[in-house]
Amino acid sequence: MTDNHGGGQFAVPAESYDRMMGRYLPTLAPAFADAAGIAAGMRLLDVGCGPGGLTTELVRRTGPDNVAAIDPSPSFVRACRERNPGVDVRQGVAEELPFADGSFDAALASLVVGFMTDPVAGCREMARVSKAGGTVASAFWDTARMPAVRIFWAAAATVDPSAGADLRRPGRGEGELAGYLRDAGLVDVRDGTLEASTDYADFDDWWSGWTLGVGPIGAYFRTLDEQARDTIRAESLQLLGTPTAGFTLTAIAWFARATKPATDSA
């Protein structure tokens, strides 16, 4: 969920992330855990845990003593610890995981691969800390089918045709997550899609999330003057169909999982 080398994009309060992207985790996390085959008794690692949206789901399935989590953002690490007492939550990056070889039955990365400095290296580290025969899995938004992100960048393009570099992050294209797992030396690679949704009280509830400085959109928003912000807001309202009450948005994420071979080549 976070930029592996800090950056200002995720140096924000956990509550800001909750309002922007974390609100999708109550539906995305269970779908991801199901697809990854997570069950009671497994020892699990949440890589790029953010404030703990997926961590909470893993704890629900296996208990806090069986879950570890890591994120580069100090504020997110604090929040994840507070929200998931008993979980081993550390500050660090995917490409240099501070865990011993073969420590986990499964390592998962939710909405983080696109922010890794080196996605293959990150997946290779996830494989290293997983047991032989263990699972490495990742999920990342399919931008074309993630309305909240797609609509903001489409609106921004009306004032800045160069806007939207975030749409081209690693992992947003079909087959990319699976490719990183194969390149990391994993086998039995399978991929597909996951569905997540969230409810918005009104348009302002949707819009306010982007104004909090979270992630690529938040960082971009901070560079805009008031006129540009007003123009993007008005265009976003039109693209959303000018909702006058509450509404629901459903998003699709790419998913991939693979197995660490018995003879470690990862």
Side-chain angles (χ1 to χ4, degrees):
M1 292 180 187
T2 61
D3 182 342
N4 263 355
H5 292 282
Q9 296 181 2
F10 295 97
V12 297
E15 292 76 15
S16 296
Y17 184 86
D18 294 340
R19 288 181 59 191
M20 188 270 288
M21 200 59 69
R23 63 196 306 153
Y24 286 88
L25 268 297
T27 51
L28 180 63
F32 185 24
D34 285 346
I38 303 306
M42 298 177 73
R43 173 76 175 151
L44 307 170
L45 175 63
D46 182 0
V47 176
C49 62
L54 175 61
T55 310
T56 298
E57 178 63 22
L58 301 182
V59 168
R60 187 185 70 79
R61 296 183 181 218
T62 69
D65 292 343
N66 286 323
V67 179
I70 186 166
D71 196 278
S73 167
S75 63
F76 288 1
V77 168
R78 287 193 299 270
C80 190
R81 285 176 180 156
E82 291 169 0
R83 297 174 182 185
N84 298 282
V87 171
D88 177 8
V89 186
R90 307 187 191 184
Q91 185 176 345
V93 300
E95 294 90 345
E96 299 177 15
L97 294 174
F99 302 100
D101 296 359
S103 297
F104 303 98
D105 295 298
L108 297 84
S110 175
L111 306 182
V112 67
V113 168
F115 298 100
M116 292 181 183
T117 301
D118 184 337
V120 174
C123 291
R124 190 177 292 118
E125 271 289 272
M126 292 170 68
R128 179 187 64 78
V129 301
S130 298
K131 299 176 181 177
T135 296
V136 176
S138 61
F140 206 70
W141 295 125
D142 172 6
T143 304
R145 293 183 287 177
M146 203 300 172
V149 171
R150 176 176 49 80
I151 286 171
F152 178 90
W153 287 122
T158 64
V159 299
D160 177 9
S162 68
D166 178 46
L167 300 175
R168 297 179 288 280
R169 283 191 176 275
R172 292 206 186 276
E174 184 173 5
E176 290 181 14
L177 296 180
Y180 302 144
L181 296 177
R182 292 190 184 95
D183 290 346
L186 293 151
V187 298
D188 189 25
V189 179
R190 289 167 278 173
D191 60 358
T193 59
L194 306 173
E195 184 176 289
S197 62
T198 190
D199 297 327
Y200 294 92
D202 51 29
F203 175 76
D204 285 335
D205 186 23
W206 179 88
W207 175 253
S208 64
W210 308 126
T211 70
L212 302 174
V214 183
I217 290 180
Y220 176 78
F221 186 87
R222 285 176 168 173
T223 70
L224 301 171
D225 60 30
E226 285 302 318
Q227 182 177 353
R229 292 177 181 181
D230 290 344
T231 300
I232 294 171
R233 185 183 189 282
E235 183 66 20
S236 295
L237 181 62
Q238 293 298 315
L239 291 173
L240 274 168
T242 317
T244 57
F247 59 96
T248 300
L249 291 181
T250 298
I252 301 297
W254 298 114
F255 162 81
R257 64 175 287 184
T259 300
K260 181 175 179 176
T263 301
D264 187 8
S265 61

